[in-house]
Amino acid sequence: MAETEDLVGLEPYSVDSDLFKEPMKKRRRSDRDQQFWAFPSMEQSALKEYEKLESRTRRVLSNTYQKLIQSIFLDDGIPNGVKYLINRLLALIEKPPLDPIYIGLLGSTGAGKSSLINAIIQQAMFLPVSGESICTSCIVQVSSGCCEQYEAKIHLLSDQEWKEELKNLTKLLHGTEELGEEADTWDRDDAMDEATWKLQMIYGTGAESRKYEDLLRAKPKGKIPTSRIITLKAEEAGELSIKLDPYIRTQRRDRAEESAETRIWPLIKYVEVTLPKSALIPAGVVLVDIPGTGDFNSKRDEMWKKTIDKCSVLWVISDIERVSGGRAHEDLLNESIRACQRGFCRDIALVVTKTDRLHLPEYLRERQVGNQAIQSHREAVLERNETIKLERSGILKEKLKRKLPADSKVLEAAHLVYTVSAQEYWQQAFLTEEETEIPKLREYIRKSLLDKKRRMVTKCVTEAFGLLVLADSFSSTENLSNEHLLMSGLRHFVEEKTELLEKAIEQCFAHIERPLQEGVWMARTSYRRILGACLVRSRGNQGFHQTLKAVCLKHGVYASRTLARIDLNEAITRPMYDQLDPVFGGIFRTGKATGSALMPHIDAFKHSLQEKMAEIGIRNGWKYDSYKKSFLIQEISAILGGLEGYIIRKKRRIYESLTSSVQNDLKPCYEEAAQITGRKACERMKDIIRRGVERQVAEGMFERAQERMQHQFQQLKHGITEKVKASITTMLTLASSQGDGLYKDLADVKSEYKEMEKLHRSLREVAENAQLRRGMQDFLMGMSPSKAGPPK
């Protein structure tokens, strides 16, 4: 059976494959109610209304689906229109109630990510926090479910993924064998230490000296399940924490003995933790503890980037002592801004942790703000918090303005900086719970979920109404005499508008040409300086040889658990991105219409089609709420709404095309440099890299990167127009086939249509009720007396 395109989700499906599939069973009422526990009563009321609206919509869809299946089950031939309708019904029935909201906590070791998550979920010491050991060693996802137990799933690298890493680790370690006496004059660097440690953990002492083929035959010291997944369950949080600790805590390297669980740490890819229903964190939110620099393993490093990109919110975590002048959090802020460009991220904030740490005499001596005398430690902390918010918000806003369009939603955020104290949240020695700002983060989480639920239910009810209009219209005979003529004219109109859309997209994407050209020039004039800064160390080559070898083995990228991430490809293309970023963000912005923005052009195309439908409806004598007009207008919104997800998925590849192009061109010189051993190997590797870059630049490396990005934009334009043409054509064919005798034996779904019509009208009422509740809540909050600090 030929594959076709899902007209809304724009994902391929087989027309017949799921035709007689049973839809998923409804969730139990108790399960639905439990997910509201984390919300105050007013927000609970709004959520329950949306949930009730969604539940009734799914019931109507399920009834319609069952009726249609029963009426066509014995038919030999099923018309395409019915196949389309049934597949659309099933897709909407089985669509998840809410796609998770991923909130990424991005920070370097010791910044306080795990402590912050523990405070937010109200489970002290649940995730390991910094002590003598380097803590959370992999990506950890924490979410709340409707289960009664605490559960963790530990996902391991596949056998093939570990073999790939093992090969690179042994190459890295054995590259020093031919250095002879020169090796003794060098310090062991980070890359070599980590490679040694990983092999010893898996295979025991002395593994760092064994060959790759020998280690392949060796038996690991820890027990590795064939499924590559370890599942842990517990009745209490503390019990699961004890079980989980050895897997996600990176232990000290000088320990004499390690447990079997600890020994498989290098194989862990990521961990999923599910909490029972929570009165603080709603189901549908996933808090992600993301290590700050990625990983030497290719699969883990790829997952690091993809995890950042799938987060709709990124909180960059930096402790109070490193927030001013610390390079680590600046690098992570830059990574977050890039995620806004290439991924799903819509909101960025800086979360300053450990704000309770303040030496009062020193603070008073250096204090430069305010005339009012500081009377207590609490007053000093709160004053410093406000100063940090003011200063860092201004700096972050300026950084965002340089990289993103001036009207980006992230710049309109109520809070760009939070100042939190997890320790004071538990102890409340001198700060109130509210002053620790943990409740403020929870409130942000709740509001994000409530807003997403509102948008999702609105879209679901609207799409469902369009499908019921189509189902009910199959038996209508309204004004069929001039149907062919009208639909023919509509097709011609759609063709013209599609051509105009294609030209508009072409003009939109043309805005990228000038910054790309300027970026090429900037990259050509600065690559020697940038490359030199990456390759030259203040201590000379001491402690850098194996790190550079690791960079070459991974084709220009090295991620360490203790050092800043090294990416030569990103570094030498950064001048191109500096020119590109504001324009790129402008193209993929949503909301405000500008000449360079893509989505407003698609919205304008949608509105022009919908206006044409209304015009044809009036000329054809359709009533204002006619079946035909309603279906066409609703389905156009559904079809073009699905394009946004397609565009977001494609823009990541477009954005990364500059660095991937440069990496691909430099791959031969990286591979050559990685093979260098013997005396002065470090200088020889540097020389190979320099000469390789010079040769590629002379042969047009930056120009090729420019051409590849422009080609990616052209592919996106072609993809959008082709999907629009195919989807709209199919929809019009379905609409014009009404009354052709193919549908006369379909079940009567008029009662379902009437019910869906009522639900569609009730959307406005639910939205108005939610707005009234928000107004009442704001009023009551304004009337509440402010809380004083704890007694001295």
Side-chain angles (χ1 to χ4, degrees), residues 231-285:
T231 301
L232 306 175
K233 294 184 179 182
E235 297 295 329
E236 301 292 335
E239 183 185 353
L240 182 66
S241 179
I242 292 171
K243 291 180 178 180
L244 185 61
D245 188 281
Y247 294 100
I248 63 175
R249 182 192 291 273
T250 306
Q251 304 290 345
R252 288 175 51 181
R253 305 187 187 190
D254 57 357
R255 286 200 170 190
E257 295 183 3
E258 300 287 353
S259 66
E261 293 88 351
T262 302
R263 283 195 173 277
I264 67 169
W265 161 76
L267 298 176
I268 296 175
K269 199 171 184 178
Y270 67 101
V271 175
E272 293 177 295
V273 179
T274 305
L275 311 176
K277 52 188 178 295
S278 170
L280 297 170
I281 298 300
V285 173

Side-chain angles (χ1 to χ4, degrees), residues 323-335:
V323 71
S324 298
R327 177 186 169 185
H329 91 268
E330 290 297 329
D331 289 344
L332 295 176
L333 278 174
N334 290 332
E335 186 65 39

Side-chain angles (χ1 to χ4, degrees), residues 508-694:
C508 169
F509 290 169
H511 288 87
I512 213 75
E513 293 179 7
R514 182 174 178 180
L516 272 178
Q517 291 170 355
E518 292 174 350
V520 167
W521 184 84
M522 294 293 292
R524 274 185 160 276
T525 57
S526 58
Y527 73 91
R528 290 190 182 94
R529 173 181 55 80
I530 294 171
L531 188 63
C534 292
L535 296 180
V536 175
R537 291 292 189 266
S538 58
R539 295 191 304 166
N541 292 335
Q542 191 176 34
F544 186 55
H545 167 256
Q546 293 305 106
T547 297
L548 184 58
K549 189 178 185 71
V551 169
C552 294
L553 283 170
K554 307 305 290 185
H555 299 142
V557 183
Y558 174 59
S560 160
R561 298 180 184 278
T562 55
L563 300 179
R565 184 180 179 88
I566 299 173
D567 190 335
L568 299 184
N569 312 300
E570 193 279 329
I572 59 180
T573 54
R574 178 47 41 197
M576 298 182 73
Y577 283 107
D578 288 341
Q579 301 298 315
L580 173 75
D581 278 345
V583 179
F584 190 93
I587 288 174
F588 292 102
R589 65 150 59 94
T590 57
K592 185 176 179 182
T594 66
S596 65
L598 173 60
M599 287 310 298
H601 288 300
I602 294 175
D603 288 339
F605 174 74
K606 176 183 73 175
H607 294 315
S608 69
L609 293 187
Q610 290 174 331
E611 288 172 3
K612 189 66 173 179
M613 303 301 171
E615 177 191 327
I616 289 177
I618 294 171
R619 284 192 344 211
N620 195 33
W622 292 345
K623 293 176 293 185
Y624 179 74
D625 60 345
S626 121
Y627 294 131
K628 183 66 65 67
K629 186 188 71 176
S630 297
F631 161 67
L632 293 175
I633 289 176
Q634 299 290 357
E635 201 66 0
I636 286 170
S637 292
I639 289 168
L640 298 180
L643 276 175
E644 186 172 4
Y646 168 77
I647 291 168
I648 290 175
R649 290 192 296 273
K650 292 295 182 183
K651 77 170 183 175
R652 182 176 190 259
R653 185 175 179 183
I654 296 174
Y655 189 76
E656 293 182 338
S657 61
L658 297 181
T659 50
S660 60
S661 174
V662 166
Q663 184 181 47
N664 185 65
D665 286 351
L666 294 178
K667 190 177 291 185
C669 82
Y670 288 140
E671 291 175 349
E672 181 184 354
Q675 302 301 317
I676 296 299
T677 58
R679 294 182 60 82
K680 299 191 180 298
C682 193
E683 283 303 321
R684 289 159 58 201
M685 283 193 290
K686 290 181 183 180
D687 187 55
I688 289 172
I689 293 171
R690 290 193 188 98
R691 284 189 286 107
V693 172
E694 291 285 354

Side-chain angles (χ1 to χ4, degrees), residues 713-773:
F713 270 108
Q714 289 303 308
Q715 284 189 321
L716 177 58
K717 181 197 74 172
H718 178 74
I720 291 171
T721 54
E722 287 302 309
K723 289 177 184 299
V724 167
K725 288 176 184 176
S727 300
I728 299 290
T729 299
T730 303
M731 184 198 69
L732 293 179
T733 300
L734 293 169
S736 63
S737 63
Q738 176 193 27
D740 60 5
L742 293 176
Y743 309 110
K744 60 184 179 181
D745 295 327
L746 281 182
D748 181 10
V749 294
K750 190 165 291 294
S751 62
E752 283 77 14
Y753 167 75
K754 291 295 184 183
E755 174 70 9
M756 199 64 244
E757 191 176 34
K758 291 178 184 176
L759 294 173
H760 189 250
R761 283 200 303 265
S762 68
L763 268 177
R764 177 176 294 181
E765 181 182 343
V766 172
E768 289 173 350
N769 289 342
Q771 189 171 3
L772 286 172
R773 290 191 190 95

Side-chain angles (χ1 to χ4, degrees), residues 19-20 65-79 82-83 86 742-743 745-747:
L19 202 57
F20 301 106
Y65 176 87
Q66 296 294 344
K67 279 189 174 183
L68 292 179
I69 286 294
Q70 290 171 11
S71 68
I72 66 171
F73 187 74
L74 298 177
D75 287 3
D76 293 332
I78 303 173
V82 179
K83 292 178 183 177
I86 289 176
L742 293 176
Y743 309 110
D745 295 327
L746 281 182

Side-chain angles (χ1 to χ4, degrees), residues 320 352 384-393 417 419:
I320 189 71
V352 183
R384 185 182 63 176
N385 286 352
E386 289 305 311
T387 302
I388 287 173
K389 284 181 184 177
L390 187 64
E391 292 177 353
R392 303 313 300 184
S393 291
V417 178
T419 49

